[in-house]
Amino acid sequence: MRRMSETLFPTLTDHDALERGAVLAPRFGADGLLAAIIQHAETGEVLMVGWMNAEALRLTLDTGVTHFWSRKRQEIWKKGETSGQLLPVREARIDCDQDAVVIKTIPGGDGGVCHVAGFRSCFYRVVEDGELREDPASRLP
Amino acid sequence: MRRMSETLFPTLTDHDALERGAVLAPRFGADGLLAAIIQHAETGEVLMVGWMNAEALRLTLDTGVTHFWSRKRQEIWKKGETSGQLLPVREARIDCDQDAVVIKTIPGGDGGVCHVAGFRSCFYRVVEDGELREDPASRLP
């Protein structure tokens, strides 16, 4: 997969072009991946973090539906294909050094993203005094 | 640093405890790091993504001020120490499998987080038709 990234996206070596230019030239890590933050387009809630290789990012941008690289299964993962929790791309952003993206979406299906049943967001636990407390507001209605 | 993580946080092997329990047992990657998403506590805007090793996460939780691990400099990075853009922790959340955190904050100093001057958020470029467009709304006032 890593070899493919060269053909799927250009590589920029110029620092200013990378940070201020109009060319999408994502920088994948040593593992060939970048972090993709999934954010609810209306509430702003951070729903999950996934990982994309070049092919997953290309598929996400070309189809308008979020694809990840599953580190566990080592394969392209069209999120929601079985659960119905598809993540249509309302907006995609990339950061200054082009090694992380934010995808704004409104999840399909039951409106959740987490594999832990009943939770809309994977970030359903708040750290309080060193312990974790489940936030009922992170639950699906 | 990776050796230290064993003494700074417990390790959970039980799947249910990891996902539903009250014990904070972060899972750092092969590189000893986890992704930390910095979100504005009031607007919900995703401001940046940083990386934390066990020591950085421990410092963040113990001091209430966000610390990262600088991959470039290979050292603990108290964000804002020189720029004034400190990131006080208003809320910290961890995800289902405890390998990513969200820190809600209101940045200090000029209110921005990005090293690219003038931008409040690192995610100041929107992907549109395969090209990047700077979003004036990501600028500092």
Side-chain angles (χ1 to χ4, degrees):
Chain A
M1 287 303 163
R2 244 171 292 168
R3 276 169 309 166
M4 282 185 65
S5 70
E6 289 160 34
T7 57
L8 294 175
F9 295 102
T11 301
L12 285 178
T13 51
D14 181 70
H15 190 72
D16 287 341
L18 187 74
E19 290 193 342
R20 301 302 300 271
V23 175
L24 175 63
R27 290 167 60 242
F28 299 92
D31 54 3
L33 305 176
L34 53 69
I37 297 134
I38 307 302
Q39 184 179 31
H40 195 286
E42 286 176 357
T43 68
E45 188 177 14
V46 175
L47 300 172
M48 66 176 285
V49 176
W51 300 90
M52 293 182 180
N53 62 0
E55 188 186 359
L57 180 58
R58 190 76 270 166
L59 282 166
T60 297
L61 296 175
D62 288 354
T63 67
V65 177
T66 305
H67 290 68
F68 298 112
W69 175 255
S70 168
R71 294 181 298 177
K72 192 179 287 181
R73 297 193 303 273
Q74 291 283 302
E75 63 182 21
I76 291 287
W77 169 31
K78 183 180 177 181
K79 165 75 179 166
E81 197 163 29
T82 53
S83 69
Q85 295 175 335
L86 292 166
L87 303 176
V89 180
R90 291 283 187 102
E91 185 180 271
R93 289 175 177 257
I94 196 157
D95 71 346
C96 44
D97 56 359
Q98 301 208 30
D99 67 356
V101 296
V102 167
I103 305 286
K104 297 189 186 180
T105 185
I106 294 177
D110 63 7
V113 305
C114 194
H115 73 283
V116 178
F119 290 106
R120 191 175 60 232
S121 161
C122 293
F123 292 93
Y124 51 80
R125 285 177 297 181
V126 179
V127 185
E128 282 182 357
D129 300 325
E131 294 213 323
L132 304 181
R133 177 184 61 77
E134 281 188 8
D135 178 6
S138 299
R139 287 193 172 279
L140 283 161
Chain B
M1 287 301 161
R2 245 173 290 167
R3 277 169 307 166
M4 283 184 65
S5 69
E6 290 159 34
T7 58
L8 294 175
F9 295 101
T11 301
L12 286 178
T13 50
D14 181 71
H15 190 72
D16 287 342
L18 187 74
E19 290 193 341
R20 299 303 299 272
V23 175
L24 175 63
R27 290 167 61 242
F28 300 93
D31 54 3
L33 305 176
L34 54 68
I37 297 135
I38 307 301
Q39 184 179 29
H40 196 286
E42 287 177 355
T43 67
E45 187 176 15
V46 175
L47 299 172
M48 67 175 285
V49 176
W51 299 91
M52 293 183 180
N53 62 359
E55 189 186 358
L57 180 59
R58 189 77 269 165
L59 282 166
T60 298
L61 297 175
D62 289 354
T63 67
V65 177
T66 305
H67 291 67
F68 298 112
W69 175 254
S70 168
R71 295 182 297 179
K72 192 179 287 181
R73 297 192 304 273
Q74 292 283 302
E75 64 183 20
I76 291 287
W77 169 32
K78 183 179 178 182
K79 164 76 180 167
E81 198 164 28
T82 52
S83 68
Q85 296 174 334
L86 291 167
L87 304 176
V89 180
R90 292 282 187 103
E91 185 181 271
R93 289 175 177 256
I94 197 157
D95 71 345
C96 43
D97 56 357
Q98 300 208 30
D99 68 355
V101 296
V102 167
I103 305 287
K104 297 188 186 181
T105 186
I106 294 177
D110 63 6
V113 306
C114 194
H115 73 282
V116 178
F119 290 107
R120 192 175 60 233
S121 161
C122 293
F123 292 93
Y124 51 79
R125 286 177 297 182
V126 179
V127 185
E128 281 182 358
D129 300 325
E131 294 212 323
L132 304 181
R133 177 184 60 77
E134 281 188 7
D135 178 7
S138 299
R139 286 193 173 278
L140 284 161

